[in-house]
Amino acid sequence: AQKVTQAQTEISVVEKEDVTLDCVYETRDTTYYLFWYKQPPSGELVFLIRRNSFDEQNEISGRYSWNFQKSTSSFNFTITASQVVDSAVYFCALRTGANNLFFGTGTRLTVIP
Amino acid sequence: KAGVTQTPRYLIKTRGQQVTLSCSPISGHRSVSWYQQTPGQGLQFLFEYFSETQRNKGNFPGRFSGRQFSNSRSEMNVSTLELGDSALYLCASSGGLTQETQYFGPGTRLLVL
């Protein structure tokens, strides 16, 4: 069975602080894909990043960075120097084979100006 | 490329009615998936269509159905609406070189009274 856990329900930070969103996944498949999506108040899920199970390289994109560790089944997401526009709900998701996405329960991030 | 589009964006229905939601995928994408998002259950997979065939199905009652047309556009139908069907319905498309990644539309907010 597949499972994605986002233990942090809500996080509040002051603008310019760094923040890390945690994601832990479970799967018995050896090939899988991990994703992060951002959902602003408008409702649309915006794709941020995809990671393949065979690629453990961390990635940095501007103020965003992702830390993928198979040993701990974690795929954490860090926002550096947070901004008010980063306020949203962030979802971690898992996809195995040709199956659908399994989503975590999301983390609501509020950046206070 | 234009993104995934969904119509209508908002819908109000009463119990017992039926509803049809429409989704147009990104040009060239042949896979369309549907998800239901509610505060209580989070994001749940409904079904996936590929080349006009249902390829995968989530754990929803038979009142929820869908189809895909030859141009990859998809519709989902919910019959005999219940109050619990009130939700944000999200459509996602995938295909091409990044077929593992699903790109989401803005969603249809359905309110059942």
Side-chain angles (χ1 to χ4, degrees):
Chain A
Q2 338 294 340
K3 186 177 180 181
V4 176
T5 302
Q6 295 180 256
Q8 304 152 306
T9 304
E10 295 191 31
I11 300 176
S12 292
V13 298
V14 176
E15 201 171 20
K16 298 185 182 177
E17 286 185 343
D18 299 347
V19 58
T20 295
L21 309 182
D22 298 332
C23 173
V24 174
Y25 63 93
E26 294 177 30
T27 180
R28 292 183 179 178
D29 289 53
T30 55
T31 299
Y32 53 88
Y33 305 89
L34 294 164
F35 304 82
W36 276 96
Y37 287 87
K38 174 182 180 180
Q39 187 174 44
S42 61
E44 180 174 353
L45 281 170
V46 178
F47 166 71
L48 296 176
I49 190 170
R50 181 193 82 191
R51 257 295 169 255
N52 306 332
S53 55
F54 44 86
D55 181 5
E56 279 194 80
Q57 280 190 357
N58 293 326
E59 182 157 337
I60 298 174
S61 176
R63 297 184 297 107
Y64 296 170
S65 63
W66 292 269
N67 183 357
F68 175 30
Q69 291 194 332
K70 289 179 72 171
S71 60
T72 56
S73 297
S74 64
F75 185 40
N76 296 337
F77 172 29
T78 298
I79 302 175
T80 303
S82 59
Q83 299 176 1
V84 173
V85 293
D86 295 328
S87 296
V89 181
Y90 291 85
F91 290 93
C92 180
L94 167 70
R95 183 174 186 178
T96 59
N99 293 332
N100 51 287
L101 288 170
F102 294 89
F103 286 91
T105 51
T107 297
R108 180 178 299 277
L109 173 64
T110 301
V111 181
I112 304 166
Chain B
K1 275 185 180 178
V4 178
T5 59
Q6 292 186 245
T7 57
R9 294 293 310 280
Y10 303 91
L11 208 49
I12 300 176
K13 292 286 187 179
T14 57
R15 279 181 298 173
Q17 287 187 310
Q18 74 165 18
V19 67
T20 298
L21 312 182
S22 180
C23 171
S24 292
I26 292 171
S27 177
H29 285 189
R30 296 167 64 188
S31 171
V32 173
S33 297
W34 289 88
Y35 294 83
Q36 181 197 64
Q37 185 177 25
T38 60
Q41 300 299 317
L43 279 155
Q44 293 186 290
F45 170 72
L46 281 157
F47 29 65
E48 179 200 8
Y49 285 87
F50 180 83
S51 294
E52 302 180 65
T53 302
Q54 187 179 88
R55 187 160 69 173
N56 198 4
K57 187 177 188 303
N59 188 26
F60 276 82
R63 300 186 296 108
F64 292 83
S65 62
R67 59 176 176 169
Q68 187 179 34
F69 302 95
S70 59
N71 62 357
S72 294
R73 190 177 70 84
S74 177
E75 288 181 348
M76 69 161 282
N77 183 276
V78 188
S79 62
T80 319
L81 285 166
E82 300 177 358
L83 295 179
D85 297 333
S86 295
L88 177 65
Y89 290 89
L90 291 160
C91 166
S93 77
S94 59
L97 297 176
T98 58
Q99 57 184 322
E100 295 86 3
T101 301
Q102 295 187 359
Y103 296 90
F104 285 80
T108 295
R109 290 190 185 274
L110 172 65
L111 177 61
V112 182
L113 301 176

